Amino acid sequence: MGHLDKLKLSEKPRQVAEATTEGRMRRKLADAINMQISAAEAMLKGEAFNPRRSRWVKDEATGEAIRKDMPLRFRPWYWQDETGAFMLEVHYGNKRIDIKPKKATIDVGNPDAIVPTLQLVRDAVLAGELDKQLEGAKGRFAKRLKGKAA
């Protein structure tokens, strides 16, 4: 028996989650939520959160393109109100998303609940529970972009 005969083969192709517009929007929001989770975990540990991304930049001296770690602009979605409770808003791009109609802010309470709340929202996004809100956010961006092109 040959080595390849030991493998279990099938004809099933790979499923691509981001093949649709909804899938890409879900993935973008889920990635943003993952970054918020990392920031919240750093805040709870008392550490600084400085996200960085690798970018290609032109070297001034030689004129060559080099890969360089650059700081990434980051704004947390959570804050502490005047009573000391933590609040959270979900954003797509720079616009907040209404979780329910006319209700965009989540009352988290104590800081230890920020990470589990964000994980719950991420699971809802990946399950498609916020697709309608994401579609509405996409419509707002499209209108704004069309207005600038004119």
Side-chain angles (χ1 to χ4, degrees):
M1 178 184 279
H3 294 289
L4 294 179
D5 294 332
K6 297 176 186 176
L7 299 176
K8 181 180 176 183
L9 302 174
S10 71
E11 294 181 20
K12 185 176 180 179
R14 182 177 183 173
Q15 295 279 336
V16 180
E18 296 184 7
T20 64
T21 303
E22 292 85 13
R24 283 189 296 275
M25 294 176 79
R26 284 181 199 161
R27 177 55 42 207
K28 180 180 176 183
L29 185 54
D31 289 344
I33 292 172
N34 287 335
M35 186 177 289
Q36 293 291 328
I37 290 171
S38 298
E41 289 171 343
M43 179 196 70
L44 292 173
K45 292 178 187 174
E47 300 172 354
F49 180 71
N50 299 317
R52 301 184 74 76
R53 180 160 290 149
S54 177
R55 300 262 188 218
W56 286 99
V57 293
K58 192 172 188 178
D59 188 10
E60 297 290 327
T62 63
E64 292 182 25
I66 58 170
R67 209 153 178 61
K68 189 174 180 183
D69 256 359
M70 303 291 287
L72 190 61
R73 192 181 95 189
F74 175 77
R75 185 176 299 164
W77 294 348
Y78 50 87
W79 72 94
Q80 195 170 12
D81 70 359
E82 61 276 352
T83 64
F86 276 83
M87 310 299 272
L88 170 72
E89 288 181 340
V90 178
H91 291 252
Y92 185 78
N94 63 351
K95 297 292 183 185
R96 71 181 188 172
I97 293 184
D98 290 344
I99 305 296
K100 298 275 182 176
K102 306 274 185 186
K103 296 189 182 196
T105 306
I106 302 168
D107 187 354
V108 177
N110 63 359
D112 295 332
I114 294 173
V115 173
T117 303
L118 284 167
Q119 290 170 340
L120 183 90
V121 172
R122 180 188 57 203
D123 293 342
V125 167
L126 292 175
E129 294 179 29
L130 293 176
D131 282 352
K132 184 178 175 185
Q133 291 89 330
L134 290 176
E135 191 64 34
K138 184 181 96 173
R140 286 194 314 243
F141 287 120
K143 287 177 189 175
R144 195 170 67 205
L145 291 174
K146 285 180 184 177
K148 287 184 179 180

